[in-house]
Amino acid sequence: MFRFSKAALNLTGKSSRQVAVRNASDVSNDFHAKYGYPLIGAGAVFCVGVWTYVATCTGITWNLSPVGKVEPKPWREE
């Protein structure tokens, strides 16, 4: 653990310049501006499609409400 923390805190000039160069990239901003909404929409359509398939075609019995299915035990006179 000591070696890991020492390596994490080792901020030399070279490593700080590498971090600065890595964070200065604007590729991700262009990617999100170009593909953000279509990617979210495609993910939502995929999610809804999978859950529709699971809910209708797999034969899982969904016990959503216990009303009418749970009966009290018979009363015992003591």
Side-chain angles (χ1 to χ4, degrees), residues 4-22:
F4 175 74
S5 60
K6 183 179 176 183
L9 293 175
N10 186 12
L11 294 176
T12 63
K14 182 179 178 182
S15 64
S16 62
R17 282 190 298 275
Q18 287 175 345
V19 170
V21 168
R22 188 181 321 136

Side-chain angles (χ1 to χ4, degrees), residues 32-75:
H32 290 298
K34 193 172 185 181
Y35 301 111
Y37 289 119
L39 198 59
I40 289 174
V45 168
F46 177 76
C47 183
V48 168
V50 167
W51 275 109
T52 302
Y53 172 77
V54 167
T56 59
C57 297
T58 58
I60 296 176
T61 304
W62 304 90
N63 293 324
L64 298 178
S65 175
V67 175
K69 298 174 186 171
V70 178
E71 296 180 6
K73 293 181 181 178
W75 185 262

